[in-house]
Amino acid sequence: MRIDVLTLFPDMFTVPMNESMMWKARDRHILELYTHNIRDYALDKHHVVDDTPYGGGGGMVLKPDVVVRAIEDVKGVSKARVILLSPQGSVFNHAKAVELSQQDHFILVCGHYEGFDERIRQLAIDEEISIGDYVLTGGELAAMVVIDAVVRQIPGVLGAEGGADRDSHADGLLEGPHYTRPAEFRGLGVPEILTGGHHEAMTQWRREQAIRRTWQQRPELLRSAPLTESERYFLATLARESAEDCQERMM
Ligand code: 4HQ
């Protein structure tokens, strides 16, 4: 996979994109990542990239001539998708990460300041992504979030053991609890089922814990999670328990 990033702050990428899983992906030639400084595409003496907005209102807006020139130069004749990071985009999620992990090339555009001249979108952007409903100072951290989530979905990046298929969201559920040694810590033990060696019972227990945690933390995910009939029955039990708890607290 090849990813190109257009940014005013390429240095922000150097450490995060060269550690841990990201370094492995690059070292194993699974990922080529290039950053490009948008300022290099400002042709005037002072390399100006932004200007005041028409109609006033304060803040600065990225100039269309500079940013479109940068995108067109980086894209060249390739068919790479051009993605803008902004709070106005559609919200990034696991499905989007999987979809992008199947592309062989895409371009991320990061802005700073109030935003982008609208003609950048009209002329040079295929798609707009937000990493969540809050406002960042720039698109760089959002781009790194997207890159991390996408790259770990590419086969060969994580080892077979740490495969992304067991992650939260991979099966539409949150992950249940994990434990490691010691067997007792500050009076708290480890669920017996995990130390018993009954593999099938353990798998079912893990699945139920995932359903339980999803019910507690993110019940809306259960509307689309693929559950078996007996798992739906287990969920109905949890819902009944919650209703009873609620009743009790009202007494
Ligand atoms: N920004 N998801 C404003 C974001 C953001 C987000 C990036 C701040 C773009 C101009 N990006 N700049 N949320 O808040 O991606």
Side-chain angles (χ1 to χ4, degrees), residues 231-246:
E231 287 169 345
R232 287 272 160 211
Y233 183 83
F234 176 73
L235 177 58
T237 324
L238 293 178
R240 210 172 310 114
E241 279 173 21
S242 304
E244 283 162 10
D245 285 356
C246 197

Side-chain angles (χ1 to χ4, degrees), residues 62 84-89 109-116 129-143 146:
L62 283 169
L84 182 71
L85 282 312
S86 103
Q88 288 105 57
V109 182
C110 308
H112 252 74
Y113 316 115
E114 293 315 296
F116 308 87
I129 290 179
S130 166
I131 62 161
D133 293 338
Y134 38 77
V135 177
L136 302 165
T137 307
E140 286 74 16
L141 289 168
V146 169

Side-chain angles (χ1 to χ4, degrees), residues 18 37 40 47 56 88 105 115 182 206-207 234:
N18 285 298
N37 195 332
D40 295 343
H47 302 287
Q88 288 105 57
H105 184 195
R206 284 217 169 105
R207 201 59 201 161
F234 176 73

Side-chain angles (χ1 to χ4, degrees), residues 6-9 37-42 47-54 58-71 84-86 109-121 125 137-140:
L6 277 73
T7 169
L8 289 165
F9 299 94
N37 195 332
I38 294 171
R39 198 170 295 280
D40 295 343
Y41 293 90
H47 302 287
V48 174
V49 295
D50 57 351
D51 203 345
T52 52
Y54 275 117
M60 296 298 272
V61 176
L62 283 169
K63 287 165 61 60
D65 49 340
V66 176
V67 178
V68 170
R69 186 182 300 117
I71 294 170
L84 182 71
L85 282 312
S86 103
V109 182
C110 308
H112 252 74
Y113 316 115
E114 293 315 296
F116 308 87
D117 183 287
E118 187 61 20
R119 291 160 296 182
I120 299 169
R121 287 186 179 84
I125 300 295
T137 307
E140 286 74 16

